[in-house]
Amino acid sequence: MLKTATTIFLGLATSFTFLLVSPPPPKSFYHSLYISTSLSDNTSIANHLHTLTRRPHAAGSEANAEAAAYVLSIFTSSNIKSHIASYEVSLTYPSSRSLTLIPPPPETPTTFNLRQEIYDGDPYADVADEVQPTFHAYAKSGTVSGLVVYVNYGRIVDYLTLKEMGVNVSGTIVLARYGEIYRGNIVKNAYEEGAIGALLYTDRKDYGGGGGDTRWFPDEKWMPPSGVQVGTVYNGIGDPTTPGWASTGDCERLSEEEVEKGGDVPLIPSLPISGADGETILRSVGGDVAHEDWQGSIDAPTYRVGPGPGIINLSYTGNQIIGTIQNVIGIIEGAEEPDRFVILGNHRDAWTFGAVDPNSGTAALLEVAERLGKLQKKGWKPRRTIVLCNWDAEEYGLVGSTEWVEENREMLASRAVAYLNVDCGVAGPVFHASATPQLDELLKRATQQVQDPENSSQTIYDSWVDSSNSPPIGRLGDGGSDFAAFVQHVGIPAAAMFFGGGYPVYHSMYDDFVWMEKFGDPMFHRHVAVGSVWGLVALWLADEEFLPFNYLSYAKELQKSTKDLKDEISETDISLNPLFKSIEELHKAATTMNNQRKEMIERKGWTSMWNKDHLKVRELNDRLMMAERAFTDQDGLFGRSWYKHLIYGPSKHDDYGSKTFPGIDDAIEKAKNLNTADSWRAVQHEVWRVSRAVKHASLVLNGELT
């Protein structure tokens, strides 16, 4: 009897011990499960996109509030604790618009209807009147009349060409085609050249398939003749009335006059117009024939530069309000490091239906949320906190994300591991990614794990690599999407990813579910793929004990950029030695960091399981996380103090253009124009500033006081 009891006791004890020591599945099990076909669902993604794009949903609209409620419901049903973070921000809408062309006699004046036409069988015809009249957000109200000058893409180089041709745009209304630079810079450049108004059109050469026998949407992917690309012409980031602080409640605000003095809102009226209307106006323009590369599609009229003799009467009145916007925030709290945040973001607001921009990304975000919810049901818990963010009012100037970052700046600066952005998730084939360099290897690794949606026999990485066997990863210096506040204002490592790139019906009323289903992603496999890469990178950042950052990539990138800079200023007395020296120190620090991490990983195992030093792991990860912050400077870029990052920032003349060493670039441009000793001294000062920032990053990686 005693023997039997003892046997039972030992059996129970053994079973209990087994339960105690039997480990849960490793994190890698859940990561593999995340990208498996058992968890992904292209039909669900298609349904999400169809729901999100039922109506036009510009920021501040009732339809966009309904879309926010839908996102919130999906987060909540996926067992993700969620809430709405609202802000009261400055928004503008069109109140009245008119545009009349007065051609030379005997032609009669033309008053344009400024309307995008519905197409035969358009399933959204019943809500087409909910699309905002075509306009530019934050455009200057006013009525102007003047001769027309054709300025190509409205770049600085285009105005230099006009000056060489003897064309003066002062006092005229410029006609520019959209495509090469950000529309806000087109209007600003026109103002600085003395123009009194600006018209921006979408040329058939760029968006209409090149003319000739080309058909357009809904038969083909191209922009219809009446299609208009709307958008903001604000050159800043965030609510223009609260620069640098959050638009919460009854906060301090700048007056309209103070906003105008800030230089980021236009000071002349502007309107976006269709390609058809643009060509009509061009037929009234005389003067010299424009250069060959300024000409339009194969059957377009001959483009001349003017001025006139056609005269344009342009009138625009905007209605500026303080409206409510809603960010949807979902949080999966980390089990071991809840105070470390891995943040995923996408915006929800659209100028019209937004099937590509941005709701292909929103549908992918909801897919990520649902997959993470399924992982939780299977026992997965992230090591670090994952934050899912669905931003509002991005289209007005990255407003929702910027206000949230400004409100949470100190918390993010001390706790954010990385930010991962998807905006237009899918516009067609071919994967693209941009990142701060320490995330390069992580992106490559993720794309090596995810099947290529175009070819099931290979991975995304296989199709992504270029002829040098290295994928082309861009840099996040531009102001094109919601990563800007994270990278350029706070200094948080970040990445952005998408399929496709530019697409013809961008920001028009034809960016609808039909276009996506026919041309963007008929089977919604690209949506599944972008959700897989996005979520997998997030899981690795949230779950891996050692943060998978590699600053050797950063050092190599800076070395290359500095060599390019050396070539640019080779005929000057500027010394880049301080910068080269600091980059070498960064390379050494990154190498030491990698070796330390490797040694700590190798020491792990059963022998050290019970006494491993969690604080040492934490301290090493903190160095990896905080090194990016060291590339920022509290004074920011000269004349653009909101931008704190000295390595990556937007081009001064193109907010969509990314610049390495933007402060140095600005100073060089100024010095070339002035060519004074002081101006070149300012270039050297900027070189020293950047070199100090790079050295600070090395000190953070080393983790030791000097």
Side-chain angles (χ1 to χ4, degrees), residues 658-681:
S658 176
K659 283 290 182 181
T660 304
F661 309 141
I664 298 176
D665 188 71
D666 290 350
I668 289 173
E669 180 190 356
K670 187 174 182 180
K672 285 181 176 179
N673 289 331
L674 298 177
N675 200 25
T676 62
D678 283 346
S679 65
W680 286 109
R681 195 176 298 115

Side-chain angles (χ1 to χ4, degrees), residues 42-57 70 119 121-125 127 217-218 350 352-361 363-364 426-427 503 505 508-525 527:
N42 60 327
T43 301
S44 176
I45 292 180
N47 290 337
H48 288 318
L49 185 63
H50 189 265
T51 300
L52 290 163
T53 58
R54 288 181 304 182
R55 297 168 60 191
H57 49 286
Y70 180 74
Y119 54 89
D122 186 347
Y124 301 102
V127 292
F217 184 69
T352 60
F353 298 98
V356 174
D357 185 9
N359 298 129
S360 58
V426 179
Y503 64 106
V505 297
S508 75
M509 70 176 286
Y510 308 106
D511 180 9
D512 62 17
F513 187 82
V514 175
W515 192 93
M516 177 61 74
E517 199 172 35
K518 291 182 74 170
F519 307 112
D521 191 10
M523 300 301 295
F524 286 86
H525 290 159
H527 283 75

Side-chain angles (χ1 to χ4, degrees), residues 472-517:
I473 300 176
R475 298 298 166 219
L476 297 175
D478 63 275
S481 195
D482 291 300
F483 53 76
F486 291 89
V487 177
Q488 298 153 19
H489 192 60
V490 181
I492 294 169
M497 61 206 79
F498 56 94
F499 277 91
Y503 64 106
V505 297
Y506 174 64
H507 281 193
S508 75
M509 70 176 286
Y510 308 106
D511 180 9
D512 62 17
F513 187 82
V514 175
W515 192 93
M516 177 61 74
E517 199 172 35

Side-chain angles (χ1 to χ4, degrees), residues 149-150 282 285-290 295 301-306:
V149 173
Y150 170 55
L282 279 162
V285 176
D288 292 339
V289 174
Q295 295 298 324
T302 299
Y303 290 4
R304 296 176 179 271
V305 295

Side-chain angles (χ1 to χ4, degrees), residues 425-622:
V426 179
V430 185
F431 182 77
H432 300 269
S434 297
T436 48
Q438 73 275 66
L439 293 176
D440 285 0
E441 297 303 318
L442 199 60
L443 283 169
K444 295 175 188 176
R445 182 177 146 203
T447 55
Q448 288 167 347
Q449 299 294 317
V450 178
Q451 181 180 298
D452 181 3
E454 317 304 324
N455 184 349
S456 60
S457 66
Q458 64 181 18
T459 66
I460 292 174
Y461 182 85
D462 295 328
S463 62
W464 186 26
V465 293
D466 60 18
S467 57
S468 64
N469 292 320
S470 177
I473 300 176
R475 298 298 166 219
L476 297 175
D478 63 275
S481 195
D482 291 300
F483 53 76
F486 291 89
V487 177
Q488 298 153 19
H489 192 60
V490 181
I492 294 169
M497 61 206 79
F498 56 94
F499 277 91
Y503 64 106
V505 297
Y506 174 64
H507 281 193
S508 75
M509 70 176 286
Y510 308 106
D511 180 9
D512 62 17
F513 187 82
V514 175
W515 192 93
M516 177 61 74
E517 199 172 35
K518 291 182 74 170
F519 307 112
D521 191 10
M523 300 301 295
F524 286 86
H525 290 159
R526 294 166 190 156
H527 283 75
V528 170
V530 78
S532 293
V533 176
W534 195 8
L536 191 56
V537 172
L539 284 170
W540 288 338
L541 289 168
D543 283 344
E544 292 192 3
E545 184 174 12
F546 295 89
L547 289 178
F549 289 169
N550 184 359
Y551 279 89
L552 279 177
S553 296
Y554 227 124
K556 291 175 183 176
E557 179 82 6
L558 295 182
Q559 188 81 16
K560 177 182 178 298
S561 297
T562 306
K563 287 179 180 177
D564 293 341
L565 179 61
K566 184 179 180 179
D567 293 338
E568 183 182 356
I569 60 173
S570 59
E571 297 181 2
T572 72
D573 294 329
I574 301 301
S575 172
L576 296 179
N577 288 338
L579 189 48
F580 278 118
K581 184 177 179 181
S582 64
I583 294 169
E584 182 60 31
E585 291 178 9
L586 179 65
H587 189 278
K588 291 178 181 177
T591 301
T592 301
M593 164 63 76
N594 287 354
N595 290 337
Q596 289 174 348
R597 178 168 51 192
K598 183 179 179 181
E599 289 171 6
M600 292 178 72
I601 292 172
E602 289 175 349
R603 284 201 307 267
K604 284 174 55 61
W606 287 101
T607 58
S608 60
M609 179 176 176
W610 302 108
N611 57 10
K612 65 181 179 181
D613 192 343
H614 293 283
L615 290 178
K616 286 186 178 180
V617 177
R618 173 84 164 190
E619 188 271 341
L620 183 142
N621 282 336
D622 283 354

